[in-house]
Amino acid sequence: MREPLRITILRHAVLLAFVAISIYPVLNVVSISLRPGDRLRSTDLAIIPADWTLASYAALFTEQPFLRWLGNSLAVSAAVTVTGVALASTAGYAFSRFRFIGRRATMLAILTTQMFPATMLLLPLYVLIARLGLVDTWLGLMIFYTATALPFCVWQMKGFYDTIPASLEEAARIDGCTRGQAFWYVVLPLATPGLVITALFSFMTAWSEYIVAAQVMQREEMFTLPLGIKGFQASLSSQWGLYAAASILVSLPVVAVFLSLSRFLVNGLTVGSVKE
Amino acid sequence: MATAVLGLAGCGSRDTRTTVTIWHQSRPTERDFLVAEIERFEADHPGVRVRPLYKETEELRAGFQAAVLAGAGPELVYGPSDVLGTFHTMGIIQDLAPWISAEERDAFVEGAITSLPATDGSGRRAVVQIGDRFGNHLALVYNRRFVTTPPLTTDDLVRIARDNTVDGDGDGRPDRYGLVWNYTEPFFGIPFLTGFGGWVFQEPESEPPRPDLDTPAMAAALGFIRDLRERHQVTPANCDYELADSLFKTGRAAMIINGDWSWSDYLANPSIDAAVAVLPTVDATGLPMRPMVAPKGYSLNANASGDQADAAMAFVRYMTSDEVQRRLLQRLRMLPARRAAWDDPLVASDPTLAASRKQIENGRLMPVAAELRAVWDGMKPAYQAVLGGTLEPAAAAARMQRDTEGFIASMHQRVEPSPLVPVLGAGIGLALFVLLVRQWRSFVALATDLRRNPTPYAFAFPAVLVIFAVIVFPFVWNLVLSLSDMSLGRFRDWRVVGLQNYAEVLADRRLWGLSGVFLKTVLWTVINVALHVTLGVILAVALHGPVRCKAIYRLLLIIPWAVPAYITALTWRGMFDYEYGAVNLILGKWLGLPAVNWLGEPLRAFEACIITNVWLGFPFMMVIALGGLQGIPEELYEAARIDRASRWQQFWHITLPLLKPVLLPAATLGAIWTFNNLNVIWLVSNGGEPQDATHILVSYVYKSVFNLYRYGYGAALSTVMFLILLAFSMVFLQRTRATESVYR
């Protein structure tokens, strides 16, 4: 279907304007990463400074254990993504399709876990981590990240299941599917965009978190990327070049994950599936 | 997978050596030195392993407090002396007197070993830190390409600065400033105060120290600083640490006032020719400008004992031995703590070290009392108001004194347990009991339903378990804490005292007034979420259709989400700079609008925070909306077109209602997250600047807990915030029927 020209122009105008707004501050980060001498600020608008250098990027790989941090972060984030998607897709389904006792109360209770200011939880969280012997363990980090990501993911999955007509499942049940089979073969594929968002969100939660990580991980060889990067910051003498270069490199895997997942985000599957 | 995870959790090294952990806040070159010395030490002491871990200043402080409270933590902490008063009052570091004799102490330069009155009231003094070097002092760094001889007096300083404030291209904006320094921190204003004959505490220092800020000296110092900018116009209109640093490094400033930590960077920078000089003498008083000086050194964790404590102290002894002290001097060019190394010929022959030593001898020891924190917090808003041109120096001095006294009072606030505590306990117990009885029927029904119809419970249980396993303990702890008197003076021996914290929270006019923090938080939340959702939906709709290069647009639009916020927020702070920031340059060049003092005026700073947060948050909503659009059947639009519905009608009657179930959870949680979003406010407005006027509730809590150590009060305020959010969510979910499905 072709659209009127003015609509097409409008679409591109809006998109172009926001692309410019989106990338300009990030170009500034790139600019910082190219400056020698750890200068956070510049007095002109040039993105590529006259004295640019790739020294910061080189130093990350040669002088800093950047690859080690990357590996740690990838492992933790992948584990959290898998657990997050598995737990949220099932729990969301229960909250969307079933009516059971304590359903609304539990949903609200899940939300309440997000309401306490995280900074106040720091002290008790450390006490908990220390008492459970979770200091310097991957398990500790994973549990905390999964628990942080889940409330949103459960609600999000529930919202997506809500948009899938129940008649599809009923049809599958009539054709002889069990409830589990209907969930696996009919509902889950239709909820793909929701699963993608859940996966992205879980990944990002684990990928960018550092407050809890700083409590759990006390050994440098177990640092995740955000912890490693925060180490470049010191009061009044930060290594801005390394800090900015690492931040740029950190975002590349996110972009890659988004790229690989986004085709599932845009292929509508319900098209033509039900006529009501 | 579970076994693999457990395997990972269980793996640890089988090292039989005694392990000593050090949390330190050393700068990068100092870290290399530390690591090299640890290797030497371990070679000499085969039974000991030393593990250093770098922690940023605030993280070290907060993390160490939490760790000691949990009965753990590193054996040693290393850093400047300014936190010692706090650590000592909290009882989280040990008296080092048993490890160091009087003769040994005599080998140190005066001030290198810090002792404080013992908390047991015995009148003894406890040794709380053994220093290994001096530092943290400010001096004047000048670029020899512009300045041949450094100024000896303030008149010289003004003259040289005026000569060096140059507007080469005549655009009204100087290309080079005479003098720059970090305006935002009062620490950098101390040399001016001392030069005019003032000091932060009353002298002789009492116990606890009393602030002495409302003095003619303070007013004169503030007046002098203001004159530098307004009368002589030799400094930029706004200048924080990073801007001052960048200006000097790029040759756009002739002189900078900065600390010893920065000098090696300047001296090594090939594009300038830097040299260090002692700060000048103030002509009006004849007194030298004296910066604060602090030793850096080691303190021992209160939990450390036995072999570990001995091993830790053996390491401290090693680091303060003459041999290591000389290496420290030679490698790091920093002034060591022992007399023998202090008199090394290198100190006299190296011009930077010579200037540094002279400046230290000319400096004043930084007080270690916890009250200094209140002084900084009390000075900051008024100091910034003077620089912002909204307050006269004399009035500012009076306000500093008043604010600081207020902060100190709340730091030392002693709350006596209310006689009603047992009543309160009984009340809570009764309420729980009544709740249990009233809900008894539901529990029975739950048990029956669980047996008859287990599927939904089995589906929901794992997620619910994980979520609550983590949150229940911290949550209950906070509730208990909110009823307690946990504070600086009662950090480890806090008691439940009753509802006083809540009474104080509810009576606080700064929170609930018309221009109070609460209303600002509501405004902050509503504006942010509304813009996040609106922009997200607009962009998703724009992307959802026949558009070329869709994939590229989509990718570029999520970039604000992909790049870590802790760097982009700082970038935005740079973009809001008055003189050099992109926002003002674009406003001025393209739109011809006058420059806006984004970070200098309270309301503008708040707007700057909002703009940054909107930028950070819209991609997430866009992704959610994109996902939601996929679920809307195309047939509905076809039917609408047949009915000749306009695009607008289609959007309003089909798109929005069907996006609702997907957007609602995101919007609800988005509101909760935004309400509690500390990072953006903290990074963009640098912790509530200017004048503490950009705070939202969460940054206010953060400040009262981490700057004034009011844990009980902070917990009570957090609980109130929790209740506000709970009420909001319940009403919002009820009205939007978010827990119900659209098709039902």
Side-chain angles (χ1 to χ4, degrees):
Chain A
M1 184 201 71
R2 288 189 61 87
E3 282 187 319
L5 186 61
R6 63 186 168 85
I7 297 284
T8 310
I9 290 175
L10 187 65
R11 279 185 198 273
H12 282 285
V14 169
L15 291 171
L16 278 176
F18 274 91
V19 163
I21 294 171
S22 292
I23 61 175
Y24 182 75
V26 176
L27 288 179
N28 270 316
V29 181
V30 175
S31 178
I32 298 166
S33 74
L34 297 175
R35 276 177 216 150
D38 292 321
R39 283 152 24 213
L40 179 65
R41 297 291 183 73
S42 111
T43 49
D44 52 45
L45 294 180
I47 293 298
I48 297 184
D51 50 355
W52 66 275
T53 162
L54 292 174
S56 296
Y57 291 90
L60 278 181
F61 291 100
T62 54
E63 293 162 25
Q64 305 289 340
F66 186 78
L67 289 174
R68 166 123 215 176
W69 299 335
L70 182 74
N72 290 348
S73 261
L74 279 177
V76 172
S77 303
V80 171
T81 308
V82 172
T83 1
V85 169
L87 296 185
S89 57
T90 45
Y93 185 68
F95 287 119
S96 168
R97 285 296 189 268
F98 296 96
R99 292 293 168 272
F100 54 93
I101 293 166
R103 172 177 161 277
R104 290 191 53 180
T106 313
M107 288 200 71
L108 188 66
I110 287 177
L111 268 193
T112 61
T113 61
Q114 305 284 298
M115 294 177 185
F116 229 85
T119 44
M120 276 311 289
L121 300 178
L122 207 72
L123 229 159
L125 215 53
Y126 187 83
V127 175
L128 187 69
I129 293 167
R131 294 271 161 85
L132 294 179
L134 290 175
V135 173
D136 285 335
T137 61
W138 299 114
L139 184 67
L141 212 53
M142 268 184 51
I143 294 176
F144 282 102
Y145 288 168
T146 313
T148 320
L150 269 180
F152 171 77
C153 296
V154 169
W155 269 82
Q156 194 59 35
M157 285 315 298
K158 186 233 167 237
F160 269 94
Y161 292 133
D162 281 351
T163 64
I164 300 168
S167 48
L168 288 175
E169 259 171 291
E170 282 151 20
R173 298 289 297 275
I174 291 166
D175 290 347
C177 279
T178 64
R179 183 119 220 172
Q181 283 172 327
F183 171 67
W184 187 257
Y185 292 110
V186 179
V187 180
L188 268 191
L190 289 175
T192 312
L195 292 174
V196 167
I197 290 173
T198 299
L200 260 180
F201 184 80
S202 309
F203 183 85
M204 283 298 287
T205 304
W207 190 251
S208 56
E209 205 285 340
Y210 67 87
I211 296 178
V212 174
Q215 308 294 312
V216 177
M217 294 306 181
Q218 309 285 5
R219 294 217 316 250
E220 224 158 281
E221 61 268 28
M222 302 194 74
F223 274 12
T224 55
L225 273 175
L227 268 188
I229 294 176
K230 287 296 279 185
F232 297 137
Q233 213 177 10
S235 64
L236 307 187
S237 47
S238 296
Q239 296 162 289
W240 293 119
L242 291 175
Y243 194 73
S247 304
I248 293 296
L249 293 182
V250 161
S251 12
L252 296 181
V254 179
V255 171
V257 168
F258 182 76
L259 256 183
S260 62
L261 289 180
S262 65
R263 63 196 169 97
F264 299 110
L265 189 65
V266 290
N267 287 349
L269 287 171
T270 41
V271 181
S273 61
V274 68
K275 306 269 182 201
E276 299 213 5
Chain B
M1 197 192 69
T3 45
V5 168
L6 287 173
L8 282 173
C11 81
S13 45
R14 306 268 175 278
D15 200 329
T16 51
R17 290 183 289 176
T18 309
T19 302
V20 174
T21 307
I22 303 177
W23 285 3
H24 63 91
Q25 31 177 313
S26 307
R27 303 191 165 83
T29 45
E30 302 173 52
R31 284 177 223 171
D32 298 340
F33 178 79
L34 180 66
V35 170
E37 290 303 333
I38 286 175
E39 274 169 22
R40 284 207 183 86
F41 174 79
E42 285 179 342
D44 287 354
H45 299 73
V48 182
R49 182 171 65 150
V50 181
R51 268 192 2 210
L53 182 66
Y54 167 76
K55 294 243 170 190
E56 192 267 332
T57 314
E58 295 296 309
E59 242 157 52
L60 186 139
R61 197 162 58 96
F64 183 63
Q65 288 162 8
V68 178
L69 202 64
E75 284 70 41
L76 291 172
V77 277
Y78 176 80
S81 62
D82 55 353
V83 288
L84 296 175
T86 309
F87 285 176
H88 180 61
T89 315
M90 287 181 165
I92 58 178
I93 49 175
Q94 286 186 39
D95 182 4
L96 300 174
W99 278 282
I100 182 163
S101 66
E103 302 90 79
E104 280 177 302
R105 276 187 231 184
D106 284 339
F108 285 82
V109 179
E110 204 191 326
I113 292 182
T114 310
S115 56
L116 286 167
T119 40
D120 57 12
S122 62
R124 278 184 323 108
R125 286 183 80 82
V127 176
V128 290
Q129 187 187 59
I130 297 179
D132 76 339
R133 69 192 75 167
F134 277 97
N136 268 0
H137 49 297
L138 300 169
L140 188 75
V141 188
Y142 60 102
N143 189 340
R144 280 189 288 203
R145 297 200 183 157
F146 308 122
V147 181
T148 42
T149 40
L152 292 174
T153 65
T154 46
D155 285 350
D156 279 353
L157 181 81
V158 171
R159 185 180 47 76
I160 295 174
R162 286 183 85 125
D163 290 346
N164 276 288
T165 304
V166 187
D167 179 12
D169 54 10
D171 62 354
R173 301 191 315 138
D175 304 310
R176 186 167 85 228
Y177 282 102
L179 177 66
V180 291
W181 79 89
N182 176 14
Y183 290 173
T184 55
E185 292 294 337
F187 175 77
F188 288 77
I190 292 298
F192 294 96
L193 175 65
T194 51
F196 279 92
W199 185 237
V200 288
F201 289 126
Q202 278 178 24
E203 302 193 275
E205 206 167 290
S206 56
E207 183 55 45
R210 276 193 290 275
D212 192 21
L213 302 171
D214 188 9
T215 55
M218 175 64 84
L222 290 173
F224 182 78
I225 293 172
R226 193 178 58 166
D227 278 354
L228 281 178
R229 210 187 75 199
E230 304 209 331
R231 197 149 67 89
H232 309 302
Q233 302 188 338
V234 295
T235 63
N238 267 309
C239 197
D240 63 7
Y241 185 84
E242 300 303 338
L243 182 63
D245 184 62
S246 297
L247 284 173
F248 189 73
K249 277 178 182 165
T250 50
R252 284 167 162 268
M255 297 180 280
I256 184 170
I257 298 174
N258 209 344
D260 64 336
W261 59 83
S262 64
W263 301 343
S264 59
D265 247 18
Y266 295 148
L267 296 178
N269 194 319
S271 54
I272 53 175
D273 181 12
V276 180
V278 176
L279 288 165
T281 304
V282 175
D283 283 287
T285 59
L287 295 171
M289 289 171 67
R290 305 173 69 184
M292 282 187 177
V293 180
K296 275 175 109 174
Y298 300 87
S299 303
L300 187 64
N301 186 332
N303 294 325
S305 60
D307 286 350
Q308 279 190 313
D310 289 336
M313 291 314 291
F315 180 70
V316 174
R317 198 178 294 269
Y318 171 78
M319 288 303 284
T320 50
S321 65
D322 278 338
E323 177 202 346
V324 181
Q325 292 271 290
R326 284 204 198 277
R327 271 203 293 275
L328 174 95
L329 176 70
Q330 279 153 8
R331 301 269 159 80
L332 295 179
R333 300 286 158 127
M334 297 182 94
L335 283 164
R338 302 256 292 204
R339 286 182 201 282
W342 183 272
D343 293 324
D344 194 286
L346 184 66
V347 177
S349 61
D350 180 296
T352 307
L353 274 174
S356 178
R357 177 177 172 169
K358 212 168 151 199
Q359 189 68 79
I360 288 181
E361 284 165 349
N362 227 349
R364 293 201 62 166
L365 265 188
M366 182 181 309
V368 295
E371 286 78 6
L372 189 61
R373 190 95 188 178
V375 170
W376 296 139
D377 280 355
M379 279 180 77
K380 213 169 170 182
Y383 176 73
Q384 288 172 359
V386 171
L387 290 169
T390 54
L391 203 60
E392 286 302 307
R399 195 172 132 192
M400 285 177 180
Q401 179 73 16
R402 203 181 58 226
D403 287 358
T404 305
E405 280 172 2
F407 288 143
I408 291 180
S410 56
M411 246 166 110
H412 289 295
Q413 198 175 32
R414 285 270 176 276
V415 190
E416 284 312 306
S418 149
L420 296 175
V421 168
V423 181
L424 184 71
I428 293 174
L430 191 71
L432 285 178
F433 180 72
V434 169
L435 202 70
L436 199 69
V437 169
R438 288 195 49 174
Q439 294 292 320
W440 186 248
R441 218 181 268 244
S442 336
F443 287 123
V444 174
L446 179 68
T448 348
D449 197 40
L450 203 56
R451 234 175 300 126
R452 212 177 297 153
N453 182 21
T455 324
Y457 298 100
F459 265 73
F461 183 71
V464 174
L465 176 75
V466 173
I467 293 172
F468 289 101
V470 169
I471 201 73
V472 165
F473 172 73
F475 184 78
V476 173
W477 166 289
N478 257 297
L479 283 185
V480 175
L481 213 59
S482 72
L483 302 171
S484 80
D485 63 347
M486 190 180 186
S487 60
L488 179 66
R490 286 199 164 271
F491 184 67
R492 301 184 80 176
D493 52 349
W494 51 271
R495 307 159 296 177
V496 170
V497 291
L499 294 168
Q500 285 95 323
N501 288 322
Y502 287 96
E504 203 179 328
V505 166
L506 295 177
D508 195 337
R509 299 236 313 269
R510 266 175 308 177
L511 288 178
W512 314 111
L514 261 183
S515 56
V517 180
F518 173 66
L519 273 182
K520 205 177 279 164
T521 314
V522 172
L523 206 65
W524 157 263
T525 311
V526 170
I527 296 178
N528 270 308
V529 176
L531 287 174
H532 285 159
V533 174
T534 315
L535 293 177
V537 170
I538 289 177
L539 289 169
V541 169
L543 272 175
H544 188 72
V547 196
R548 261 168 214 251
C549 317
K550 202 189 271 191
I552 296 173
Y553 278 132
R554 210 164 48 214
L555 194 66
L556 292 177
L557 284 171
I558 64 137
I559 278 184
W561 189 32
V563 183
Y566 38 77
I567 181 96
T568 44
L570 286 175
T571 316
W572 272 98
R573 182 171 164 80
M575 285 166 59
F576 282 119
D577 184 74
Y578 181 69
E579 206 164 332
Y580 303 107
V583 177
N584 271 355
L585 289 181
I586 288 170
L587 284 181
K589 259 188 197 152
W590 295 357
L591 306 172
L593 295 172
V596 176
N597 190 357
W598 288 105
L599 302 172
E601 288 170 31
L603 188 63
R604 297 281 165 274
F606 190 56
E607 288 168 12
C609 292
I610 291 181
I611 293 173
T612 308
N613 197 47
V614 168
W615 181 85
L616 283 169
F618 79 80
F620 178 64
M621 286 295 176
M622 181 189 84
V623 171
I624 307 252
L626 268 178
L629 286 176
Q630 307 313 319
I632 304 177
E634 185 59 25
E635 295 91 333
L636 294 178
Y637 292 107
E638 281 165 22
R641 276 194 289 273
I642 292 167
D643 291 344
R644 297 192 166 275
S646 71
R647 279 174 180 277
W648 179 249
Q649 284 168 323
Q650 290 173 29
F651 174 77
W652 202 249
H653 295 290
I654 301 172
T655 312
L656 265 194
L658 287 173
L659 271 183
K660 199 182 100 171
V662 175
L663 278 179
L664 263 183
T668 317
L669 272 163
I672 294 171
W673 292 330
T674 310
F675 192 90
N676 282 339
N677 185 334
L678 176 71
N679 270 344
V680 171
I681 294 276
W682 210 257
L683 292 174
V684 175
S685 74
N686 197 18
E689 285 167 16
Q691 303 159 39
D692 269 333
T694 51
H695 281 296
I696 59 173
L697 282 170
V698 66
S699 60
Y700 192 81
V701 169
Y702 187 83
K703 203 156 185 167
S704 54
V705 170
F706 287 92
N707 286 9
L708 300 175
Y709 312 102
R710 307 178 68 198
Y711 293 91
Y713 174 86
L717 183 48
S718 304
T719 309
V720 171
M721 288 165 65
F722 169 80
L723 292 174
I724 294 171
L725 284 174
L726 184 65
F728 155 78
S729 311
M730 287 174 82
V731 171
F732 188 73
L733 294 180
Q734 186 72 40
R735 301 199 67 163
T736 52
R737 303 179 53 77
T739 50
E740 306 312 319
S741 171
V742 270
Y743 286 112
R744 277 167 210 271

